[in-house]
């Protein structure tokens, strides 16, 4: 072969094999083909890798977005097994030392990274120092399993059953003439399992046991209409607030009116019983407290709101009354003073949704209207705000679970949804939809398991949202004074 042709061929091969930027300059020395280093093996550098993060994202990216979305909503036993398997791998590969299956909310599970030891993932040397078996880091020499003791504890840890809340109501009732008015309270559930509903000028009673419907009263003969209903604690009497400012007391069993209380000059949109005392809030900005056993002259007038009173709730210990108004104020009253003991002005819209926690003494939650949309929690023992969250839509009603530290909220503009929350993490347990109008009315069943919601779409929908099983783990809170006593 011609030597000149051979040199040109070798120069062309070198230009094709060398990386860009290492190409031989024109006129420079030509590298020999034997000097080009190449090979068929690729050895990655793992020194700077964070294996815990890589493991986390690899586990996350193995599913499509649709599969991730389905796994969040399902919460099935398969999802629990996946979490247990991931924890087992972290124990064996990363030395995480997890002894129990993490009980995390599905939305939080994506962002949780388990702790790991600082040693490398791949170890090419054998540790000569033996660790006693009692320390929990080594496997018994008589064990046939390759898993560590922490992994054995993980596999033996009890699995909690998956929480399943039905997304559809188990019963739907027609409620013609159910008003689409944010400031009214037209639905309440009694201790005797009777549901009272104000429809137009009438109040109807629906029995949850027999599904029988009876008409309790008709105010059309007086040219009046129903603006609020509320059962007493025993479930024998139902108070009815009217558009003309009257408060009527009816005997549910006998179907007869016992008395009619005057005193308000405008509609009565909020009612709350406290034993034999009845508190009523009106559009005339006044709250009246009256004992139904005494003459109507013995009444207490509470004046603190500058606009219509649309929310009233007594605390479980019967000592404090919380009131919300269209003036964006939340007031707390005691049973002996005519002036509010606390006033909260953080809401930016009307405060109708109010609920006292049955689990923590002095814990109060309130919800704001369309311009606010926030749930705000208050420590009424100290008068300090605790936490708040933006729900994204108008808050119409609130209720706590009797058995677990959970609460339910109903919403209006613009989602028209029902949300179940965990407290104090404020994680959403469930989101229920179905109403086409604002979900303005809410009541909890006497067993604390079901709720009923009403809306301007003239329907009542019954949902199973709460569990009857009481939480065995005692919640630790600064509001629980008994945990501080030795």
């Amino acid at each position: 072969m011609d030597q000149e042709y051979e040199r040109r061929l070798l120069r062309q091969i070198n230009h094709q094999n060398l990386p860009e930027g290492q190409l031989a300059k024109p006129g420079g020395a030509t590298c020999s083909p034997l000097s080009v280093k190449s090979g068929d093996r690729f050895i990655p550098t793992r020194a700077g890798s964070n294996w815990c993060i890589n493991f986390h994202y690899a586990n996350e990216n193995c599913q499509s977005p649709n599969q991730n979305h389905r796994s969040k909503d399902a919460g099935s036993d398969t999802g629990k097994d996946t979490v247990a398997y991931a924890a087992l791998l972290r124990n064996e590969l990363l030395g995480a030392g997890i002894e129990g299956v993490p009980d995390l909310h599905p939305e939080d599970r994506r962002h949780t990274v388990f702790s790991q030891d600082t040693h490398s993932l791949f170890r090419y040397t054998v540790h000569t120092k033996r660790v006693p078996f009692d320390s929990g880091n080594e496997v018994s020499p008589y064990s046939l399993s390759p898993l560590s003791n922490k992994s054995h504890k993980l596999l033996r840890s009890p699995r909690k059953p998956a929480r399943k809340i039905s997304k559809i109501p188990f019963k739907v009732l027609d409620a013609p003439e159910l008003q689409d008015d944010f400031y009214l309270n037209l639905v309440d559930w009694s201790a005797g399992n009777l549901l009272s509903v104000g429809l137009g000028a009438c109040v109807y009673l629906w029995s949850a046991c027999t599904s029988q419907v009876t008409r309790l009263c008709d105010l059309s003969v007086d040219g009046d209409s129903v603006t609020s209903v509320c059962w007493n604690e025993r479930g024998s009497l139902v108070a009815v607030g009217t558009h003309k400012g009257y408060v009527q007391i009816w005997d549910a069993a006998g179907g007869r009116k016992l008395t009619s209380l005057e005193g308000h000059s405008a509609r009565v949109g909020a009612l709350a019983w406290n034993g034999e005392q009845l508190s009523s809030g009106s559009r005339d900005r006044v709250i009246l407290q009256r004992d139904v056993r005494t003459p109507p002259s013995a009444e207490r007038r509470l004046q603190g709101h500058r606009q219509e009173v649309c929310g009233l709730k007594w605390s479980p210990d019967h000592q404090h009354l919380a009131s919300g108004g269209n003036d964006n104020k939340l007031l707390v009253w005691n049973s002996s003073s005519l002036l509010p003991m606390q006033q909260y002005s953080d809401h930016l819209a009307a405060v109708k949704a109010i609920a006292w926690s049955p689990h923590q003494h002095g814990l109060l939650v309130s919800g704001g209207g369309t311009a606010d949309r926030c749930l705000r929690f208050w420590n009424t023992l100290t008068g300090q705000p605790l936490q708040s969250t933006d729900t994204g839509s108008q808050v119409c009603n609130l209720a706590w679970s009797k058995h677990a530290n959970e609460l339910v909220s109903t919403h209006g503009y613009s989602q028209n949804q029902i949300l179940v929350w965990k407290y104090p993490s404020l994680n959403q347990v469930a989101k229920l939809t179905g109403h086409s109008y604002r979900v303005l009315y809410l009541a909890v069943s006497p067993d604390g398991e079901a709720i009923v919601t009403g809306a301007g779409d003239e329907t009542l929908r019954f949902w199973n949202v709460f569990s009857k099983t009481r939480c065995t783990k005692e919640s630790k809170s600064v509001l629980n004074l008994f945990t501080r006593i030795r």
Side-chain angles (χ1 to χ4, degrees):
M1 182 182 293
D2 188 9
Q3 294 183 356
E4 183 64 26
Y5 174 74
E6 184 178 359
R7 283 197 298 270
R8 289 200 306 269
L9 181 62
L10 292 177
R11 188 182 302 115
Q12 182 179 0
I13 295 175
N14 290 336
H15 275 277
Q16 291 177 357
N17 291 338
L18 287 176
E20 187 179 0
Q22 295 185 5
L23 295 177
K25 296 181 180 180
T30 304
C31 297
S32 170
L34 299 177
S35 63
V36 179
K37 296 182 179 179
S38 61
D40 59 347
R41 294 187 61 193
F42 172 72
I43 302 177
T45 302
R46 300 186 175 94
S49 298
N50 190 335
W51 287 101
C52 191
I53 298 294
N54 294 343
F55 183 89
H56 171 72
Y57 281 110
N59 186 35
E60 186 183 56
N61 296 332
C62 65
Q63 293 181 343
S64 65
N66 293 332
Q67 289 175 335
N68 287 334
H69 183 70
R70 286 195 299 267
S71 64
K72 287 181 186 179
D73 294 337
S76 60
D77 295 337
T78 305
K80 282 283 188 181
D81 293 340
T82 303
V83 176
Y85 180 68
L88 185 65
L89 288 180
R90 286 186 171 92
N91 274 357
E92 298 304 313
L93 298 180
L94 306 176
I98 305 172
E99 298 184 5
V101 179
D103 185 20
L104 298 176
H105 192 265
E107 294 183 357
D108 296 338
R109 191 175 298 152
R110 297 182 293 109
H111 307 292
T112 301
V113 179
F114 293 96
S115 61
Q116 64 166 338
D117 294 340
T118 57
H119 61 76
S120 301
L121 178 63
F122 298 105
R123 293 176 297 181
Y124 298 101
T125 59
V126 180
H127 289 283
T128 57
K129 182 179 179 181
R130 295 290 297 175
V131 181
F133 173 68
D134 295 337
S135 64
N137 297 325
E138 291 289 335
V139 185
S140 170
Y142 306 104
S143 175
L144 299 179
S145 173
L147 301 179
S148 63
N149 288 340
K150 296 289 182 65
S151 297
H152 281 289
K153 292 181 180 180
L154 171 66
L155 296 176
R156 289 195 299 264
S157 63
R159 308 284 181 88
K160 293 184 179 180
R163 175 80 178 276
K164 296 181 181 180
I165 297 179
S166 176
K167 299 298 181 65
I168 59 175
F170 64 88
K171 183 181 291 291
V172 179
L173 299 179
D174 290 330
E177 297 186 58
L178 185 61
Q179 300 299 310
D180 184 28
D181 194 328
F182 177 78
Y183 301 98
L184 306 185
N185 294 274
L186 297 175
V187 177
D188 197 20
W189 208 328
S190 74
N193 219 2
L194 286 176
L195 189 70
S196 61
V197 185
L199 303 178
C202 300
V203 176
Y204 291 90
L205 303 181
W206 177 80
S207 173
C209 301
T210 63
S211 298
Q212 183 179 0
V213 179
T214 58
R215 188 174 65 181
L216 180 65
C217 63
D218 188 355
L219 306 182
S220 60
V221 293
D222 301 326
D224 209 345
S225 61
V226 180
T227 54
S228 57
V229 294
C230 185
W231 289 94
N232 66 344
E233 295 179 3
R234 293 195 300 269
S236 57
L237 303 178
V238 57
V240 179
T242 72
H243 189 270
K244 291 185 176 180
Y246 297 101
V247 178
Q248 300 181 0
I249 310 297
W250 286 78
D251 178 14
R256 59 191 180 94
K257 182 173 66 176
L258 301 181
T259 184
S260 180
L261 305 176
E262 302 177 357
H264 289 292
S265 58
R267 68 181 184 185
V268 180
L271 295 168
W273 286 89
N274 184 23
E276 302 298 333
Q277 294 184 350
L278 177 63
S279 301
S280 57
S282 171
R283 200 174 195 173
D284 61 8
R285 303 169 293 177
V286 177
I287 301 173
L288 294 181
Q289 290 186 1
R290 292 170 282 202
D291 194 322
V292 297
R293 301 167 298 181
T294 60
S297 58
E299 65 181 18
R300 298 175 68 241
R301 298 176 64 89
L302 306 180
Q303 296 180 333
H305 289 281
R306 296 182 179 180
Q307 294 189 38
E308 180 175 7
V309 180
C310 50
L312 283 178
K313 287 293 173 62
W314 277 95
S315 60
D317 60 358
H318 307 286
Q319 298 300 316
H320 298 94
L321 173 69
S323 64
N326 197 30
D327 55 358
N328 309 345
K329 298 292 190 299
L330 173 65
L331 305 181
V332 179
W333 315 75
N334 58 25
S335 56
S336 59
S337 175
L338 298 179
L339 297 176
M341 56 177 290
Q342 292 172 0
Q343 177 173 330
Y344 304 103
S345 306
D346 292 6
H347 284 289
L348 304 177
V351 182
K352 176 195 177 185
I354 302 172
W356 293 88
S357 171
H359 310 291
Q360 300 180 18
H361 180 61
L363 177 59
L364 176 65
V365 59
S366 57
T370 308
D372 184 76
R373 306 173 305 181
C374 289
L375 295 182
R376 300 184 184 274
F377 295 83
W378 316 92
N379 182 352
T380 59
L381 301 180
T382 62
Q384 295 178 347
L386 295 177
Q387 57 181 321
S388 65
T389 182
D390 190 346
T391 64
S393 55
Q394 178 188 38
V395 185
C396 301
N397 267 295
L398 288 166
W400 287 86
S401 169
K402 298 179 181 179
H403 309 296
N405 214 1
E406 297 177 351
L407 69 155
V408 60
S409 59
T410 65
H411 300 270
Y413 301 126
S414 58
Q415 302 296 326
N416 303 333
Q417 60 190 0
I418 304 160
L419 300 178
V420 183
W421 306 82
K422 275 277 190 183
Y423 184 81
S425 64
L426 296 185
N427 291 328
Q428 288 187 18
V429 180
K431 179 189 297 184
L432 309 176
T433 57
H435 285 289
S436 57
Y437 280 65
R438 296 181 294 175
V439 189
L440 298 176
Y441 311 111
L442 169 69
V444 184
S445 63
D447 61 0
E449 184 178 8
I451 63 170
V452 59
T453 56
D457 55 11
E458 298 184 344
T459 61
L460 295 174
R461 298 173 185 266
F462 295 79
W463 317 78
N464 276 319
V465 297
F466 295 134
S467 175
K468 284 185 178 181
T469 58
R470 185 177 297 273
C471 181
T472 57
K473 182 179 180 181
E474 183 181 359
S475 59
K476 296 180 180 179
S477 170
V478 294
L479 298 179
N480 191 352
L481 300 180
F482 296 102
T483 59
R484 304 293 180 180
I485 300 178
R486 293 185 177 270

